[in-house]
Amino acid sequence: MVPTRSSAAYRAIRPSLTSKKGQYFSADAIIASFIFMMALSLLTAHWFALRAQAEAQSVSLLDDANRISDLLIMTGNPPNWYTNPVMARSAGFGLNGTRGGTLNHTMLLQAQAFINSGPNLYTSSMQLMALPLDYYIQINATSLDAAAPPYPPIAIGRAPAHPTDRVQVYRGVLIPVIDNGVTPPHTYYYYGIMTVTLWTNKSNI
């Protein structure tokens, strides 16, 4: 005889059926919670690993940028290294016979014309400076002499284009410019900032 809902036999077995259903639910919840916690732990660990990698990469880029900026304020070897970077020993715009930070105006203009003329000299200059990334050098300067003409902005290299990573360092510079159009020749002194940018638009470097 099958017990009906109103029978004593059905009421006797109902608690056990309810208990088993609750046990199944509790086990499923525990397993689901465990899987969720494992996934969350893996995701968190992956995020921290990516963050550490990005921070290490940024530190490396900053070290390279500081190294290059220190190099560029010194005199290159040879001074006109930008005409043939493959045969040069070192890059630099420093005015020969001066302390680091005083730049050669003529060399800046020539380097801008040579390196920006095409990819070959630019790539060779990267290899000379041992750079794995693109670089962009900007110099903006002004004179305290009201009679001095405006200094032309200098831009050498490749401007950042949708960079995935970028670092910048700054150096104060002095640029003497001789005006031979007057007698005797007059020297204007321009004070400015050299900005060295290293950048990449690649996802992995």
Side-chain angles (χ1 to χ4, degrees), residues 125-197:
S125 67
M126 289 179 59
Q127 295 171 350
L128 174 63
M129 293 185 281
L131 285 176
L133 306 178
D134 287 289
Y135 72 87
Y136 190 53
I137 302 165
Q138 296 170 282
I139 298 175
N140 294 283
T142 186
S143 176
L144 299 179
D145 189 340
Y151 190 81
I154 301 294
I156 302 172
R158 289 180 179 167
H162 309 292
T164 56
D165 205 350
R166 174 176 61 180
V167 296
Q168 289 181 317
V169 295
Y170 307 91
R171 291 289 184 272
V173 296
L174 172 65
I175 309 173
V177 178
I178 300 175
D179 183 1
N180 292 312
V182 296
T183 303
H186 180 73
T187 301
Y188 295 106
Y189 292 93
Y190 293 86
Y191 302 86
I193 298 294
M194 179 179 70
T195 304
V196 176
T197 304

Side-chain angles (χ1 to χ4, degrees), residues 18-195:
T18 304
S19 177
K20 288 183 178 181
K21 183 177 179 181
Q23 290 174 1
Y24 292 149
F25 175 77
S26 299
D28 290 343
I30 293 173
I31 293 174
S33 299
F34 177 76
I35 293 174
F36 173 77
M37 292 303 296
M38 286 293 294
L40 182 61
S41 299
L42 291 174
L43 182 62
T44 303
H46 182 64
W47 183 83
F48 276 109
L50 290 178
R51 181 178 178 182
Q53 181 181 359
E55 290 177 350
Q57 178 175 294
S58 295
V59 169
S60 177
L61 293 181
L62 185 59
D63 289 342
D64 276 333
N66 279 310
R67 174 179 62 84
I68 294 305
S69 63
D70 290 340
L71 178 70
L72 293 176
I73 62 176
M74 307 303 291
T75 304
N77 184 11
N80 64 339
W81 58 271
Y82 41 82
T83 62
N84 190 6
V86 174
M87 301 302 295
R89 294 185 177 181
S90 64
F93 301 120
L95 186 63
N96 196 18
T98 63
R99 299 186 345 179
T102 302
L103 306 186
N104 188 308
H105 171 64
T106 301
M107 291 182 181
L108 288 173
L109 296 179
Q110 291 178 351
Q112 181 175 238
F114 272 88
I115 295 177
N116 293 353
S117 64
N120 292 336
L121 286 175
Y122 173 75
T123 301
S124 297
S125 67
M126 289 179 59
Q127 295 171 350
L128 174 63
M129 293 185 281
L131 285 176
L133 306 178
D134 287 289
Y135 72 87
Y136 190 53
I137 302 165
Q138 296 170 282
I139 298 175
N140 294 283
T142 186
S143 176
L144 299 179
D145 189 340
Y151 190 81
I154 301 294
I156 302 172
R158 289 180 179 167
H162 309 292
T164 56
D165 205 350
R166 174 176 61 180
V167 296
Q168 289 181 317
V169 295
Y170 307 91
R171 291 289 184 272
V173 296
L174 172 65
I175 309 173
V177 178
I178 300 175
D179 183 1
N180 292 312
V182 296
T183 303
H186 180 73
T187 301
Y188 295 106
Y189 292 93
Y190 293 86
Y191 302 86
I193 298 294
M194 179 179 70
T195 304

